[in-house]
Amino acid sequence: MKDAKTVLNELRHRLLLISRLEQLVDDKKTDELHELQPLFDRGLWIFGPEFEGPDFTSNRRLSTILQKFGGGGEATTPAKRPDLVVLPDSTLGVYSRNSFDERHEVDGYDHVVVVELKRGGFHLTRKERHQALEYCAELRRSGKVGDRARIAGLRAR
């Protein structure tokens, strides 16, 4: 019974999150920083099962690299949210999962995820669709992410 209750509570939280996203994503008045980003912070699983679980955490160091690359956006650290990079037309959240060596010590990143959010009702052009990939390439060029690390650029609006 205890396991069933845990699973049902998780399903309830996910359904509420999806319902709230459905209300916000197409609304041009939606503030991606204060309304959408917190939802995606709790719902990386939306992008696929490989992003499930507590392994992915916010990464301030990589966010700072993208802040500089993105044209001098503002890094914010709200009290209950991961570090974000605020750009003129979007926000970026950077999450990472550590990799470990044979001694079980952290030796870099196994997987890095860049989530770029556009405000509600934003029309995505080809340029916007490729921005997340450009951020991933910049992380690779920075030398702060090893060659073995997988980097995924995800975008949502």
Side-chain angles (χ1 to χ4, degrees):
M1 282 297 266
K2 190 175 182 180
D3 289 343
K5 183 178 178 182
T6 300
V7 169
L8 291 173
N9 279 336
E10 181 63 23
L11 287 173
R12 182 174 61 83
H13 289 294
R14 289 182 182 207
L15 289 172
L16 288 171
L17 188 139
I18 291 169
S19 176
R20 185 66 181 139
L21 282 171
E22 286 176 337
Q23 295 169 1
L24 295 173
V25 294
D26 289 326
D27 185 348
K28 292 180 181 182
K29 296 176 187 171
T30 298
D31 177 349
E32 76 272 0
L33 175 62
H34 297 101
E35 295 179 285
L36 287 179
Q37 192 75 45
L39 296 174
F40 280 94
D41 290 341
R42 294 189 310 266
L44 288 178
W45 51 266
I46 291 169
F47 297 111
E50 66 271 29
F51 307 114
E52 181 88 37
D55 290 350
F56 281 95
T57 58
S58 173
N59 191 309
R60 173 179 287 179
R61 183 173 155 199
L62 298 180
S63 294
T64 301
I65 292 168
L66 291 185
Q67 173 190 3
K68 292 175 184 174
F69 172 73
E74 164 189 340
T76 64
T77 312
K80 295 186 179 183
R81 285 206 310 259
D83 302 323
L84 305 173
V85 178
V86 182
L87 300 171
D89 65 352
S90 64
T91 60
L92 297 175
V94 182
Y95 308 89
S96 64
R97 181 173 66 201
N98 291 329
S99 66
F100 300 90
D101 64 17
E102 61 280 347
R103 295 181 324 242
H104 307 287
E105 299 290 332
V106 174
D107 68 349
Y109 302 110
D110 175 58
H111 203 151
V112 176
V113 179
V114 178
V115 178
E116 179 184 16
L117 289 180
K118 300 287 189 184
R119 69 182 178 277
F122 188 91
H123 176 71
L124 294 176
T125 66
R126 182 182 304 239
K127 177 184 172 193
E128 281 85 20
R129 287 194 298 270
H130 291 286
Q131 278 179 318
L133 298 176
E134 290 175 25
Y135 295 129
C136 294
E138 182 60 25
L139 284 178
R140 186 70 74 195
R141 283 190 296 269
S142 75
K144 304 295 183 188
V145 178
D147 293 338
R148 295 180 313 156
R150 292 176 291 161
I151 303 176
L154 307 172
R155 68 194 170 286
R157 68 155 183 94

